Amino acid sequence: MFGIFGKKEPEKAPKMGKNPHLGLKSENRSGFFSNDAPRFFEGWESHSSEIDWFLRQELESLMSRSRQAIRKTPYAKRYDSLMRSNIVGSRGVSVQARTMFNAGGSPRLDERANTAIELAFKDWGQGDCDYIGKCNFIDIQKKAISSSVQDGCFLYRKHFGFGKYGFQLEELDPYTLNIIKNEKLNNGGEIRLGIEFNAKGKVVRYWFKESSYNGLNQETREYSVPAKYIIHGFVPEFVGQSRGIPWMHAGLEKAKHLEKYQEAAIVKARSTAATMAFIKSSPGEEYRGEEGGYEDGTTVDQFDAGTIKDIGDRDIVNADFSYPHQMYEAFVKRHLHDIAAAWGVSYQSLTTDLEGTSFSSGRTGVLEEREHYKDLQEWFIHSFVKPVYEDWLTMAYMKGEIKIGKVPLSRPVDQYLTAHYQGRRWSWVDPSKDLQASQLSIQENLKSRSQIMREQGDDPDSTWREIAREKELMKELGIQPIMTGNNEAKDDEEKED
């Protein structure tokens, strides 16, 4: 069986001579495997190579098959949707500027500068961010995740000096990164899978195949782009890995088996439902139908619902294939469990099947799955969002497009680069219990209110300012705030004091 890790002939266990300590002959004795390992594990490879060697052989096929799975397979499409919605979400990764200034010897947030930066970044993200002019920044983030799911990486070209803020992004198809370009260079560097490295192993250039008007890549025509203009992000899983591996690779084979099994089951079920009976000939009677079919031209594989097939005499035999089989559902469910595990999501999330799921087990699965999404969010922030934000801010600063009132930012640009990046968060699984836990954490000084807000995906500074404005407006309009039991108790204590 071929896969991402290739296939090689199994290495035979070396024969060992006589053991001088035991006085026994210990042939085929191994410290880690049984004596019957070669017989039991025939086909289990025992040699390996660098990951780029395997990628050179199979990456193009993995990308093509992953793309086809998303086009045709419901569960692959669902997986892509889960990644987009849980890593990026409807609001995208938010960026909260954290510029500081010195006030009386203590650092404080520069609210005016931070507000100006955030408003400008939001304006850029509405559409000026896209070199082609089709997407906003949230769309670009989602497409980067989809590209990682099906191709193993995302590729964007940075265009400096374009647009209102002097910086725009152009999406590139990872399939155009010339995987067949592999060579040793005279300067001590090398090109691996279309990526050029210098003698120290640093990426210096990317080599692409040109695309034609009909959507086909022209392998004989190529161009290169210096690395400083390219954002290439992938999840590194192996030492020396140059290209990313499609996130669906470990479950692709099982997904294809399941697809073909379900296809055969559907064909069998349709033929069973459509065919009522057959007519068979008596022994010795000559069949008068034409070769390969019947006198009216109907062949064996052409049928409509309610068809009765004439194959000779007039003895009717009922057709009942008893399919789908009673084990069909269990077989499909078992395969989907394996596919979900390979793709790093829960069975319930992949299939939306909550049958037999208790609250506690569902909560455990959800919390574990969310930790996986948080890991991918951190990777995505440092691989894509942070570099994009810093390049945008540098160019917007140089053009003087970020202003406090009518005055552009004037301090060195490095002082404005500090920011907090917040991925999407999710509603509580059990709101009442989780809220009680948060209140207890605050009382015991284990967490701050701001930390809890960030865990929910909110910006504490914005929230506090909004609460303050809300209280001022309510006071101005003469609206009394709704008092909870805790607030009433606190008011009574204050009155008694």
Side-chain angles (χ1 to χ4, degrees), residues 48-71:
S48 188
S49 300
E50 291 184 19
I51 186 62
D52 282 355
W53 185 89
F54 294 111
L55 293 178
R56 187 162 61 248
Q57 312 300 319
E58 301 184 48
L59 180 57
E60 195 166 2
S61 295
L62 284 172
M63 292 169 64
S64 298
R65 290 168 181 173
S66 295
R67 292 182 176 197
Q68 184 188 59
I70 289 179
R71 293 196 306 268

Side-chain angles (χ1 to χ4, degrees), residues 63 67 130-132 140 143-144 147-148 150-151 153-159 169-177 206-209 211 217 223-226 229-232 243 384:
M63 292 169 64
R67 292 182 176 197
D130 187 11
Y131 182 72
I132 306 299
I140 289 175
K143 292 175 76 174
S147 184
S148 300
Q150 63 186 4
D151 300 321
C153 72
F154 55 79
L155 278 168
Y156 283 89
R157 182 168 183 170
K158 298 184 283 188
H159 291 274
L169 296 169
E170 178 188 3
E171 183 183 18
L172 301 177
D173 186 351
Y175 208 80
T176 62
L177 189 54
Y206 290 84
W207 291 85
F208 296 91
K209 298 177 289 186
S211 297
N217 299 322
Y223 67 96
S224 64
V225 179
Y229 297 112
I230 296 293
I231 301 177
H232 178 214
R243 297 277 297 266
F384 183 69

